[in-house]
Amino acid sequence: RYGDGLNPWGDIQALARVWCLCRPGARLLLGVPQAAQDQIVWNAHREYGPATFPHLVPNWRLLWEGPEAYQRVRVFERAGQ
């Protein structure tokens, strides 16, 4: 879309890097497009469903979840040592 190469794992890699940079107890505010079914809107964005969303935040503990919305906002805390 912007001339860079396509990386199907870029979203997961980016959040993994954030986890590595944060100390235990750090907070993450995350809002991503959600849908009942996982899908890629080609060359624009993803809509995260029950299969893909958990892969974004495997090492984060959910602290707060906003109301149901297309881009539901959640607050996580970094788990681990």
Side-chain angles (χ1 to χ4, degrees):
R1 182 174 178 177
Y2 299 107
D4 53 343
L6 296 178
N7 180 354
W9 308 107
D11 52 348
I12 294 170
Q13 290 173 339
L15 282 172
R17 287 182 186 134
V18 169
W19 188 88
C20 290
L21 293 171
C22 293
R23 295 179 179 169
R27 303 280 168 92
L28 170 70
L29 176 70
L30 182 66
V32 294
Q34 286 187 242
Q37 184 177 355
D38 301 283
Q39 74 178 42
I40 296 175
V41 180
W42 177 247
N43 216 20
H45 65 277
R46 296 175 189 263
E47 291 183 350
Y48 295 89
T52 55
F53 185 78
H55 293 287
L56 284 177
V57 288
N59 297 313
W60 295 87
R61 184 171 58 94
L62 180 64
L63 295 179
W64 180 83
E65 194 168 47
E68 188 80 30
Y70 177 65
Q71 287 197 7
R72 181 182 237 176
V73 175
R74 293 175 173 93
V75 176
F76 295 90
E77 181 176 62
R78 185 190 186 275
Q81 303 176 35

